[in-house]
Amino acid sequence: MNYWLMKSEPDAFSIDDLKNLKTSPWDGVRNYQARNFMKEMKMGDTVFFYHSSCKVPAIVGLASVNKEAYPDNTSWDETSPYFDLKSTPDNPRWFMVDIEFISKLPTPLTLKDMKNDPVLSGFKLLQKGSRLSIIPLSDEHAQYLIAKMT
DNA sequence: GCCAACGTTGGC
DNA sequence: GCCAACGTTGGC
């Protein structure tokens, strides 16, 4: 079982949106590193849902992977903002997973707090200039964060 | 809104 | 295959 952090801008898709939908495809990833991480995801992996580009960047909830990587059909939809000419149903370039809502944190774990926590040193999210939208967590970091949530 | 960091593109 | 130019991300 692996642990992942996935970033979303709350204006586009928030933890409340996921809560309402119960489960949702994670489409629109157009970065090779992030795509490759999604291909590594397994059923039941835990996802830390992170709000980025907002007032208080923070981990705001938990989700789990409930469908493993499959082609992202928005990539060949000409009307989609995620359209990519080089991706086709026969030769898909981009993939997505489905995730399922687990919980919304009563108190988000803010980026600021995490940056000040020595236990989390080495966590890629906290490195300066880290822009990757999907980031793996070590077991140690993941379990530490989960413990902090309760 | 600024800008540093990073990824991608394309000319050579 | 190098690298400059450009676009995007995301914290501040």
Side-chain angles (χ1 to χ4, degrees):
Chain A
M1 151 105 135
N2 289 305
Y3 301 95
W4 310 91
L5 179 134
M6 299 176 89
K7 295 182 184 175
S8 183
E9 299 187 18
D11 288 347
F13 189 75
S14 71
I15 188 71
D16 290 316
D17 293 328
L18 182 62
K19 186 179 181 181
N20 290 335
L21 292 170
K22 306 269 192 279
T23 176
S24 171
W26 199 271
D27 60 12
V29 171
R30 297 292 178 270
N31 169 284
Y32 291 103
Q33 240 182 309
R35 179 203 66 181
N36 293 341
F37 283 139
M38 280 200 295
K39 286 185 169 181
E40 290 179 29
M41 290 183 185
K42 297 292 177 202
M43 287 291 291
D45 278 3
T46 298
V47 173
F48 293 80
F49 197 113
Y50 178 86
H51 282 174
S52 67
S53 293
C54 56
K55 222 168 194 175
V56 184
I59 294 172
V60 293
L62 287 176
S64 67
V65 174
N66 72 340
K67 183 171 178 180
E68 294 178 7
Y70 62 106
D72 181 345
N73 56 294
T74 66
S75 65
W76 53 79
D77 173 2
E78 287 184 42
T79 67
S80 167
Y82 305 124
F83 176 69
D84 180 351
L85 190 60
K86 290 173 181 157
S87 186
T88 64
D90 287 342
N91 189 19
R93 171 175 294 205
W94 303 112
F95 290 77
M96 58 189 174
V97 296
D98 287 358
I99 65 166
E100 181 179 14
F101 178 81
I102 294 178
S103 63
K104 178 181 176 180
L105 305 187
T107 312
L109 294 173
T110 68
L111 178 64
K112 186 164 174 272
D113 287 346
M114 289 190 282
K115 276 189 169 166
N116 288 329
D117 191 334
V119 177
L120 296 173
S121 72
F123 182 21
K124 283 195 204 73
L125 173 72
L126 309 178
Q127 283 169 12
K128 195 181 173 195
S130 162
R131 299 187 311 164
L132 198 54
S133 64
I134 298 177
I135 300 172
L137 287 92
S138 68
D139 287 3
E140 186 199 349
H141 286 164
Q143 280 153 22
Y144 174 73
L145 288 172
I146 288 170
K148 280 196 92 164
M149 290 170 183
T150 56

